[in-house]
Amino acid sequence: MVGALVTREFTGVTAHAFATETEPARARLVSGVVAMVRSIRVHPLMRKIIDVDPEFLLPYLVERRGTSTTHELGLMEMALQAGRADGSIRTGKAAVQARAMWLLACSFTLTAPVLADEVSLEELDGQLAKLLDRYLAP
């Protein structure tokens, strides 16, 4: 039941994050990933899981992919294809690039709060945006 709730909540957050109409597609993808990270990081369900039962997340990080992750990867792959079409994203295998971006986003989602001691989460999110933008640039 908790898994279904997580899927419903995070799918909604992700869809909202990727709903922007920024052009070009690379800017839309970068802002979508950063928005997704910010939203999931502070989502009440995610905070509760981390506070009460962080081990719930472990299988989704080291053993298997959840439905939410599959949904996020699909949105990223579509955005990558749109960026190739408008020339704002470099060539490459979309599945590989989406997974690399997801791994980076996951790190910023789960561990950035631990490292936001001498720097702010906003500064770290700015660095995430730069990393993604440079990774995707043609």
Side-chain angles (χ1 to χ4, degrees), residues 37 99-109 128 131-132 135:
V37 165
R99 281 154 178 79
M101 291 179 3
W102 188 91
L103 289 167
L104 187 59
C106 185
S107 172
F108 274 75
T109 301
L128 173 60
L131 286 165
L132 291 169
Y135 173 69

Side-chain angles (χ1 to χ4, degrees), residues 1-65:
M1 184 176 352
V2 174
L5 178 61
V6 168
T7 298
R8 186 191 75 197
E9 291 296 314
F10 293 169
T11 298
V13 165
T14 304
H16 180 72
F18 282 87
T20 63
E21 293 300 323
T22 309
E23 291 296 332
R26 185 171 88 225
R28 186 170 55 246
L29 177 54
V30 169
S31 65
V33 171
V34 173
M36 177 183 72
V37 165
R38 285 180 178 152
S39 296
I40 292 174
R41 182 191 301 138
V42 299
H43 193 284
L45 180 58
M46 176 61 86
R47 300 302 334 142
K48 190 63 153 178
I49 290 169
I50 289 172
D51 291 343
V52 175
D53 187 14
E55 289 156 11
F56 172 82
L57 296 172
L58 195 56
Y60 298 103
L61 298 173
V62 299
E63 294 174 7
R64 61 187 161 94
R65 177 180 9 183

Side-chain angles (χ1 to χ4, degrees), residues 87-100:
S88 66
I89 294 178
R90 68 181 173 84
T91 60
K93 191 172 178 183
V96 172
Q97 291 171 323
R99 281 154 178 79

